[in-house]
Amino acid sequence: MAPQDITKLIVRTSMKDRAAFDLLYRQTSAKLFGVCLRVLNDRGDAEEALQEVFVKIWTKADRFAVSDLSPISWLVAIARNHAIDRVRARRKPALDIDAALDVADPAPGPEAMVVAGGESERIHHCLDELEKGRAAAVRGAYLKGESYAELAERHGVPLNTMRTWLRRSLLKLRECLER
């Protein structure tokens, strides 16, 4: 079919001529289906898109401007743009970059890590100043999570003695850290 014939069919379609629209469909649907299929890569999607494209052609035929340009180019542009819109609609929407501001990083920042590293060194230095058995009891209770009863049994002392050791050791640690 010649370009001027397709132009006439589009013009008649703009006047809601169903016979012209039917003929336009029969003459151009294969080409437009190929465009949709190439963009969508799915036969079922391309078939649905083609139906939607022809609905657009029916409703927008009055926007077609008769010129020396190929009318099939206008039809192909409608099909291609519609297929691209369907591809974009399939994609998950990108999150707004501002949403990233609300995501908190649970890890301490660089400054906090330096401070914590320095504090850790100070604590270990002060633990080394304690008597060896008492430093081991403090490490067991506060770093390993051992119970007072477990520590008392391991060190061979009564439970209340272990509590006293730990309380006095913590007081000495505080003195050391305040220096």
Side-chain angles (χ1 to χ4, degrees):
M1 182 171 256
Q4 60 269 23
D5 296 331
I6 294 174
T7 299
K8 287 177 188 175
L9 291 174
I10 294 172
V11 170
R12 286 178 44 207
T13 298
S14 72
M15 293 182 274
K16 306 303 179 202
D17 182 343
R18 291 182 185 270
F21 183 68
D22 182 52
L23 186 56
L24 180 65
Y25 179 86
R26 283 188 274 129
Q27 294 296 320
T28 60
S29 62
K31 182 168 189 73
L32 299 183
F33 176 72
V35 170
C36 292
L37 185 59
R38 195 170 338 125
V39 173
L40 296 168
N41 292 324
D42 180 78
R43 186 170 191 84
D45 253 359
E47 289 170 355
E48 285 181 32
L50 183 66
Q51 287 178 356
E52 294 165 357
V53 164
F54 273 98
V55 168
K56 282 185 179 185
I57 291 169
W58 176 258
T59 59
K60 295 181 180 187
D62 58 337
R63 296 183 187 171
F64 176 71
V66 178
S67 68
D68 293 337
L69 299 175
S70 170
I72 197 73
S73 298
W74 183 74
L75 297 171
V76 166
I78 292 172
R80 182 179 171 280
N81 291 341
H82 183 72
I84 289 171
D85 288 344
R86 284 181 68 101
V87 169
R88 288 179 180 151
R90 280 190 216 155
R91 292 185 193 150
K92 292 181 181 177
L95 295 177
D96 186 16
I97 191 70
D98 292 335
L101 296 174
D102 297 333
V103 177
D105 184 6
E111 183 180 356
M113 291 186 65
V114 168
V115 170
E119 290 297 314
S120 175
E121 284 180 30
R122 287 181 59 214
I123 290 171
H124 286 292
H125 171 73
C126 289
L127 280 171
D128 290 341
E129 288 184 9
L130 294 176
E131 185 182 313
K132 189 175 181 180
R134 293 183 185 191
V138 169
R139 284 187 175 100
Y142 300 107
L143 299 178
K144 296 178 185 173
E146 296 176 28
S147 71
Y148 291 172
E150 291 171 332
L151 291 169
E153 186 178 320
R154 183 165 19 112
H155 290 280
V157 296
L159 181 61
N160 284 337
T161 301
M162 178 54 61
R163 287 186 180 139
T164 303
W165 276 14
L166 291 172
R167 188 167 117 330
R168 288 181 181 166
S169 296
L170 289 177
L171 290 172
K172 285 184 181 181
L173 283 175
R174 183 172 64 185
E175 281 177 29
C176 177
L177 291 171
E178 288 175 350
R179 285 190 247 144

